[in-house]
Amino acid sequence: MFSRHPDTMKTPCVSLLLGVCVLLLSAPTVSAVSLSVSPNLQQFFRGSSSVYLSCVDDGQTADGWTVKRTRGGLTEDCGAAGSEFSRINSSFCALGLSTGGSFLCVSSSGKQSDEVSISVSEGSVILEIPALPVMTGSDVTLYCTPKEGERRKSYFIRDNVPLGSGPEGKWILSTVQRSDEGLYSCYTDIHPPSPQSRLRVRDLLTPLYPPLSAPPPSESVLRLFCHLVVLCLYCISTGLLLSTCCSRKTPNKPAVSMEMSQHDGGGQGLAEDGDDVTDDDTDDVTTEHAF
């Protein structure tokens, strides 16, 4: 009789478990960390008070994350020498308003949060618009604020299309929907247009702060295709491993056949006179083992 080592029988199952672990570990990790901006605005006048930026996770400071700024194709860490982009602690920074840029949180492993753009204007009017995404169904108020003097009647534009005018430099977006997303600006009768800033809207069923910046459409299609290929390969390999586990059965027990022949060829286990067959009545006994 031949026997198989237990480790040999366990190999396909162990391989299957390792495959599942590798798939889970290789899946993209979604981060809930987002960039917080205070005050929650995108446009500021040059030389005004500082803006404070921090990396937060569910309202708490996220350790191990750093605020970074991108401008002119270069990326700058918070607290860089000789910069107005100063560090208060590991995840909290203050931005002196001399230059703007795009800001985001980056972890030590390279994960990134969403980006927030901040404009520093030398003009005479700015648009006060939220820097962070707003939820669908909420009300948002935009203000056209001059550098000097009181707010006055202002005109608001979205994606270069006039929306209308608002008294006291105010425009209210009621029950915001995704269709309200776009580039907004404003101007008055005596002030040129402000810089453009994008209003971002998030559905109630999606995170308020997307963990990763939205990839270009071509990259999204490629990523979807890669995920489908990986899923198909995983299903095929899993099926093969399961079939291998099921096909490995315990070896058949050895067949043993007994062939007995009587001395005179006519005995069938009992003598003709009804007496039991004795050892003397048996000519020979042949035992055949088939393995």
Side-chain angles (χ1 to χ4, degrees), residues 3 26 42 78 84 86 93 146 201 208 220 259 275 283:
S3 63
S26 62
Q42 294 188 55
C78 172
E84 85 285 1
S86 59
C93 296
V201 181
L208 179 59
S220 299
E259 180 183 344
D275 295 333
D283 184 33

Short mmCIF file of all heavy atoms in Angstrom, two decimals, residues 3 26 42 78 84 86 93 146 201 208 220 259 275 283:
data_model
loop_
_atom_site.label_atom_id
_atom_site.label_comp_id
_atom_site.label_asym_id
_atom_site.label_seq_id
_atom_site.Cartn_x
_atom_site.Cartn_y
_atom_site.Cartn_z
N SER A 3 1.24 5.40 0.51
CA SER A 3 0.63 6.52 1.26
C SER A 3 1.23 7.83 0.79
O SER A 3 2.37 7.88 0.35
CB SER A 3 0.87 6.35 2.77
OG SER A 3 2.25 6.39 3.05
N SER A 26 -2.86 43.20 -2.38
CA SER A 26 -2.55 44.00 -3.56
C SER A 26 -3.69 44.93 -3.95
O SER A 26 -3.52 45.78 -4.83
CB SER A 26 -2.24 43.09 -4.75
OG SER A 26 -3.37 42.29 -5.05
N GLN A 42 -11.41 79.58 -1.09
CA GLN A 42 -10.40 79.34 -2.12
C GLN A 42 -9.66 80.59 -2.54
O GLN A 42 -8.56 80.48 -3.10
CB GLN A 42 -11.06 78.72 -3.37
CG GLN A 42 -11.63 77.33 -3.16
CD GLN A 42 -12.09 76.71 -4.46
OE1 GLN A 42 -11.33 76.59 -5.43
NE2 GLN A 42 -13.36 76.32 -4.52
N CYS A 78 5.36 71.16 3.41
CA CYS A 78 5.08 72.14 4.46
C CYS A 78 6.30 72.25 5.37
O CYS A 78 6.87 71.24 5.80
CB CYS A 78 3.86 71.69 5.25
SG CYS A 78 3.52 72.69 6.71
N GLU A 84 6.93 80.72 3.09
CA GLU A 84 5.85 81.18 3.96
C GLU A 84 4.89 80.04 4.31
O GLU A 84 3.95 80.22 5.07
CB GLU A 84 5.08 82.33 3.28
CG GLU A 84 3.98 81.91 2.32
CD GLU A 84 4.49 81.37 0.99
OE1 GLU A 84 5.74 81.30 0.80
OE2 GLU A 84 3.66 81.03 0.15
N SER A 86 4.68 77.42 6.41
CA SER A 86 5.36 76.99 7.63
C SER A 86 4.62 75.86 8.33
O SER A 86 3.40 75.72 8.20
CB SER A 86 5.52 78.18 8.60
OG SER A 86 4.24 78.71 8.93
N CYS A 93 -0.30 73.02 9.19
CA CYS A 93 0.55 74.03 8.55
C CYS A 93 -0.18 75.36 8.46
O CYS A 93 -1.41 75.42 8.46
CB CYS A 93 0.93 73.58 7.15
SG CYS A 93 1.94 72.10 7.11
N PRO A 146 -15.07 93.07 -2.32
CA PRO A 146 -14.02 93.99 -2.79
C PRO A 146 -12.92 94.13 -1.74
O PRO A 146 -13.14 93.89 -0.55
CB PRO A 146 -14.77 95.31 -2.98
CG PRO A 146 -15.91 95.24 -2.04
CD PRO A 146 -16.30 93.79 -1.93
N VAL A 201 -19.13 69.50 -5.74
CA VAL A 201 -20.34 68.99 -5.09
C VAL A 201 -20.21 67.48 -4.96
O VAL A 201 -19.80 66.80 -5.90
CB VAL A 201 -21.60 69.35 -5.90
CG1 VAL A 201 -22.86 68.83 -5.21
CG2 VAL A 201 -21.69 70.87 -6.10
N LEU A 208 -17.55 62.79 1.62
CA LEU A 208 -17.48 64.23 1.45
C LEU A 208 -16.17 64.65 0.82
O LEU A 208 -16.12 65.52 -0.03
CB LEU A 208 -17.64 64.92 2.81
CG LEU A 208 -17.57 66.45 2.83
CD1 LEU A 208 -18.66 67.03 1.95
CD2 LEU A 208 -17.68 66.98 4.24
N SER A 220 -9.05 56.08 -16.09
CA SER A 220 -10.13 55.35 -15.44
C SER A 220 -10.49 54.11 -16.23
O SER A 220 -10.70 53.03 -15.67
CB SER A 220 -11.36 56.26 -15.27
OG SER A 220 -11.05 57.37 -14.48
N GLU A 259 -8.15 -17.96 -3.89
CA GLU A 259 -8.51 -19.05 -4.80
C GLU A 259 -8.16 -20.36 -4.11
O GLU A 259 -7.02 -20.58 -3.72
CB GLU A 259 -7.76 -18.92 -6.12
CG GLU A 259 -8.11 -20.03 -7.10
CD GLU A 259 -7.31 -19.92 -8.37
OE1 GLU A 259 -6.73 -18.81 -8.58
OE2 GLU A 259 -7.25 -20.88 -9.14
N ASP A 275 -19.82 -34.35 6.15
CA ASP A 275 -18.88 -33.95 7.17
C ASP A 275 -18.13 -32.70 6.75
O ASP A 275 -18.00 -32.41 5.57
CB ASP A 275 -17.90 -35.08 7.46
CG ASP A 275 -18.60 -36.30 8.04
OD1 ASP A 275 -19.67 -36.09 8.68
OD2 ASP A 275 -18.09 -37.40 7.83
N ASP A 283 -5.99 -30.10 -0.90
CA ASP A 283 -4.70 -30.38 -1.52
C ASP A 283 -3.74 -29.24 -1.33
O ASP A 283 -2.62 -29.39 -0.90
CB ASP A 283 -4.90 -30.69 -2.99
CG ASP A 283 -3.60 -31.09 -3.67
OD1 ASP A 283 -2.74 -31.72 -3.01
OD2 ASP A 283 -3.44 -30.76 -4.86
#
